[in-house]
Amino acid sequence: MAVYDYDLFVIGGGSGGVRAARVAAALGKRVGIAEEYRYGGTCVIRGCVPKKLYVYASQFPEHFADAAGYGWTVPQASFDWQTLVANKDREISRLEAIYRKNVQGAGGETFQSRAMLVDPHGVHLLGEDRTVTADQILIATGGRPTPHPALPGHEHCIFSNEAFDLKELPDAIMIEGGGYIAVEFANIFHGLGVDTTLVYRGKEILSRFDMDLRRMLHETMEKKGIRILCHAVSEWVRKRPDGRLDAVVTGGKVLTVDQVMLAIGRLPNTENMGLEGVGIEMTRTGAIHVDQYSRTSIDNIWAIGDVTNRVQLTPVAIHEAMCFVETAFKGNPTAPDHETIATAVFSQPEIGTVGLSEDEAIKRFSEVEIYRATFRPMRNTLSGRDEKMLMKLVVDGASKKVLGAHILGPDAGEMAQLLGIPLKAGLTKDDFDRTMAVHPTAAEELVTMYKPTYRVSDGERA
Ligand SMILES: Cc1cc2nc3c(=O)[nH]c(=O)nc-3n(C[C@H](O)[C@H](O)[C@H](O)COP(=O)(O)OP(=O)(O)OC[C@H]3O[C@@H](n4cnc5c(N)ncnc54)[C@H](O)[C@@H]3O)c2cc1C
């Protein structure tokens, strides 16, 4: 039997790679892992974590304004971008060290190096100029923002990676894209006082989310002062003599801004890694093609997380890592479950959602009941904030199973996590109705919408 340096070698020290390395090492496997940039990957270094910290930072002006109705006088507040960036850096460095230490603590060996495949069992570590061998190899190299080389002036644009570390907070920004990253950054920059325009080629922001959430978030963001241009794309970006940028969008409208941020999608990191040479199949977009157990076209090589372009979320990469370890090292073939994933958009107001949107449910079920409530959350009463909350349940009229739950409003992400449990368990509207409300909360609305707002039978609204 061939003897390898490692039982498992992991390429990529992000959410998925670190989890797989740590758990496999804790099982007593000889594990090596290579990371070319910073341990923790996208989520910790330039994704979920810094993003959420910036969301918190950007919410303070509204908190200060809301305080007056509760009797507080808040002196003129000021904001220092450099302090926020420095404090964020400190926190992600702390987390980065924990990620690396956790692998080492479990007995894994960590490398600071780019890695590429040289054969089905060989990994070349460019930083060390040596090749190691492994019985099993896991590719967890994540993704990166999609560039836009066809856009004249694209060299003046930034992506989410750079947005976290701008030297100065811009006075005005244009963000192109309609996905959750574009929407979240639009709210962050607006909250920090930046004149913000969101430009999106589609008809409504946040495609694939429930249409009620999309429309109501759009309206609320515009009310706050965020300009949203749908059915529009940037046509070129030009540097002005004063150093600012002119961005021309569909229809010839010129936006003069300090930064243009492109958030038009993400691409898998599969280039220049020797994958083709080894015979690993990829999809048209360069994502690694895997079977239901995350195995690539080469028997001992596996891939998980964003690089496989299944569902690009941190908990999904982690779940796929755990399933991989079960399958490859515990003799328990386990396919990741990508059904009914609860998720949030940290817009302002926030979105929390799980299960089918109304439109998806109508396509799949002949009788659909919609329970829908819009109301002013109690916290907005004394503050005078004119912002409504939306709660919506999508129910199969025949079985009464709750198919989808959608929330727009404060703490929606926290609620979505808890709603993920009854929806995953397949509970019915009757189970929701039997559940005692927690009063006074906004969430109590979820168990007190007794009558359907409307029904949809065979696609027709009744
Ligand atoms: C702005 C932003 C906000 C986000 N917010 C959320 C959120 O709120 N919630 C959520 O669930 N998800 C969020 N995500 C998505 C989440 O970050 C990813 O789904 C998750 O990080 C994927 O984990 P991964 O292990 O597949 O890849 P990654 O975390 O991207 O890790 C891959 C690692 O591999 C390294 N690497 C690449 N190539 C090589 C190589 N050849 N050799 C060595 N190392 C290599 C990279 O440097 C990277 O560190 C966000 C993403 C972005 C960009």
Side-chain angles (χ1 to χ4, degrees), residues 11-17 34-38 40-43 46-48 51 113-116 140-143 160-161 164 180-181 184-185 266 269 273 304-307 311-315 317 344 346:
I11 306 179
S15 307
E35 165 56 49
E36 69 172 341
Y37 181 53
R38 295 179 68 179
T42 303
C43 176
R46 42 200 184 183
C48 334
K51 184 263 308 276
S113 170
R114 182 168 173 82
M116 60 183 290
T141 47
S160 58
N161 288 352
F164 288 117
Y180 79 92
I181 294 176
E184 289 174 341
F185 270 99
R266 292 186 57 84
N269 286 328
M273 280 188 58
I304 55 165
D306 283 9
V307 76
V311 180
Q312 298 192 342
L313 291 170
T314 288
F346 296 100

Side-chain angles (χ1 to χ4, degrees), residues 395-445:
V395 175
D396 171 21
S399 67
K400 300 290 179 213
K401 191 173 154 182
V402 180
L403 304 171
H406 310 285
I407 304 169
L408 178 79
D411 304 321
E414 303 288 339
M415 288 182 230
Q417 178 63 84
L418 300 181
L419 281 168
I421 301 168
L423 265 78
K424 194 79 192 159
L427 296 192
T428 63
K429 182 66 173 58
D430 295 337
D431 296 314
F432 276 59
D433 292 347
R434 285 190 300 111
T435 304
M436 196 67 79
V438 177
H439 184 73
T441 62
E444 66 185 299
E445 207 67 32

Side-chain angles (χ1 to χ4, degrees), residues 248-268:
V248 174
V249 299
T250 308
K253 191 178 170 64
V254 182
L255 301 169
T256 301
V257 295
D258 304 285
Q259 296 288 352
V260 172
M261 174 179 155
L262 302 178
I264 53 174
R266 292 186 57 84
L267 283 181

Side-chain angles (χ1 to χ4, degrees), residues 347-363:
S347 46
Q348 298 168 41
E350 202 165 289
I351 282 179
T353 184
V354 52
L356 299 185
S357 67
E358 177 178 342
D359 290 342
E360 281 173 299
I362 290 170
K363 274 188 222 147

